[in-house]
């Protein structure tokens, strides 16, 4: 589904990604974890077409998409749930959902809004309410539902559990597991390394713009922890 090869991204003179390579197979849930500033959001932004790589390739289902605009990437079946949700706070919950379907021209949008409200009862309860009135956990559900409205085959999730209460964190990780069961391919960016390694088929650890470790299951958690600390030390140095 996705192959990232020797991806380098710069912000002016700062190189945020130093030629990273990884893959996400169709139907997989793959984790990308690392400390603040490791380059996780930068990686997702490059895949989503928001940032243009300085070098390397991003391949989606065999097509190199390095220079494609964000809308073109969405049309290829990729949806990004950004860090901090970024829902439209002054629009209603239902309007937010409809915006998620803005690239679609079919006549099943209303039915999909209904499906989202069935799946996330809180969205039905607040359908006509300004989305800004929702709690963090409710806004995260809306942000994921909005992304699902484009009917993505690849979902990019940027720290969906950030700042949520423990029960909401459970709900988010359960939801990611369900979406994978439903056949959606997922790239999950997280700081919650343990939960991600436990859930994902494979987890890459990013430190200072490089992938330093690939974990395949809970047995790798000790090594992941050491890679995290190594990464932090490298950032500070
Ligand atoms: P966080 O968990 O804090 O979101 P992250 O792993 O997602 O961290 P990035 O946001 O991708 O990390 O940042 C990677 C590096 O690029 C950091 O050194 C950061 O300061 C820098 N950076 C990110 N965005 C910009 C920008 N718009 N302009 C300049 N530097 C940036």
């Amino acid at each position: 589904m996705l192959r990232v090869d020797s991806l380098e991204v710069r912000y002016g003179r700062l190189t945020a990604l130093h030629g990273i390579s990884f893959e996400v197979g169709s139907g997989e849930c793959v984790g990308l974890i690392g400390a603040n500033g490791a380059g996780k959001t930068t990686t997702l932004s490059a895949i989503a077409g928001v940032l243009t790589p300085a070098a390397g390739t991003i391949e989606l289902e065999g097509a190199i998409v390095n220079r494609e605009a964000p809308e073109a990437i969405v049309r290829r079946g990729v949806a990004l749930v950004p860090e901090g949700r970024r829902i439209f706070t002054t629009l209603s919950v239902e309007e937010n959902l409809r915006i998620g379907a803005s690239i679609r021209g079919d006549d099943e949008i209303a039915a999909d809004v209904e499906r989202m409200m069935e799946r996330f009862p809180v969205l039905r309860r607040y359908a006509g309410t300004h989305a800004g009135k929702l709690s963090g956990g409710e806004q995260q559900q809306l942000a994921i539902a909005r992304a699902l409205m484009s009917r993505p085959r690849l979902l990019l999730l940027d720290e969906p559990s950030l700042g949520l209460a423990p029960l909401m964190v459970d709900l988010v990780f359960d939801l990611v597991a369900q979406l994978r069961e439903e056949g959606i391919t997922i790239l999950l960016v997280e700081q919650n390394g343990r939960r991600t390694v436990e859930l994902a088929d494979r987890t890459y650890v990013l430190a200072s713009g490089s992938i330093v470790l690939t974990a395949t299951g809970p047995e790798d958690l000790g090594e992941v922890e050491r890679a995290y600390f190594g990464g932090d030390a490298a950032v500070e140095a």
Side-chain angles (χ1 to χ4, degrees):
M1 176 73 81
L2 170 71
R3 179 176 289 128
V4 171
D5 187 23
S6 309
L7 176 66
E8 192 180 308
V9 177
R10 298 191 198 129
Y11 297 102
R13 278 184 302 172
L14 175 95
T15 301
L17 294 176
H18 301 273
I20 64 167
S21 301
F22 64 93
E23 292 182 353
V24 184
S26 182
E28 283 187 326
C29 172
V30 168
L32 183 65
I33 61 175
N36 278 334
K40 305 180 299 297
T41 298
T42 301
T43 305
L44 293 190
S45 299
I47 296 166
V50 178
L51 291 171
T52 305
T57 53
I58 299 168
E59 210 177 314
L60 278 170
E61 296 178 310
I64 292 180
V65 300
N66 285 31
R67 298 197 169 272
E68 290 192 7
E71 295 76 16
I73 303 292
V74 176
R75 284 183 199 284
R76 287 186 180 276
V78 180
L80 169 68
V81 180
E83 187 176 350
R85 352 280 187 216
R86 301 223 205 118
I87 52 150
F88 300 101
T89 52
T90 58
L91 298 183
S92 74
V93 164
E94 183 165 351
E95 285 165 334
N96 270 272
L97 288 176
R98 289 184 178 277
I99 285 174
S102 55
I103 61 147
R104 288 171 51 184
D106 61 272
D107 55 7
E108 289 181 39
I109 294 171
D112 274 7
V113 168
E114 180 56 28
R115 264 182 224 121
M116 290 306 152
M117 291 189 176
E118 237 160 69
R119 170 164 223 157
F120 303 98
V122 72
L123 301 187
R124 190 190 300 285
R125 201 173 318 135
Y126 296 119
T129 305
H130 279 180
K133 296 239 161 72
L134 271 54
S135 72
E138 291 162 353
Q139 289 190 8
Q140 187 63 71
Q141 293 175 66
L142 175 57
I144 294 172
R146 181 182 61 182
L148 293 175
M149 285 297 296
S150 70
R151 294 195 171 175
R153 280 172 292 123
L154 173 62
L155 190 61
L156 309 174
L157 291 163
D158 197 350
E159 301 201 30
S161 79
L162 190 69
L164 301 185
L167 272 178
M168 275 295 159
V169 173
D170 288 346
L171 189 142
V172 164
F173 276 93
D174 287 350
L175 177 61
V176 173
Q178 277 170 27
L179 294 172
R180 172 179 52 186
E181 289 299 307
E182 290 166 25
I184 299 180
T185 307
I186 295 164
L187 179 57
L188 173 63
V189 158
E190 264 294 336
Q191 288 205 29
N192 192 330
R194 174 173 295 274
R195 295 292 296 263
T196 303
V197 169
E198 283 168 357
L199 171 71
D201 296 299
R202 184 168 64 260
T203 300
Y204 299 97
V205 182
L206 199 54
S208 305
S210 298
I211 290 175
V212 294
L213 182 71
T214 307
T216 52
E219 65 279 5
D220 296 327
L221 277 169
E223 226 183 318
V224 168
E225 216 162 285
R226 284 190 289 280
Y228 251 83
F229 285 123
D232 282 341
V235 169
E236 279 160 21

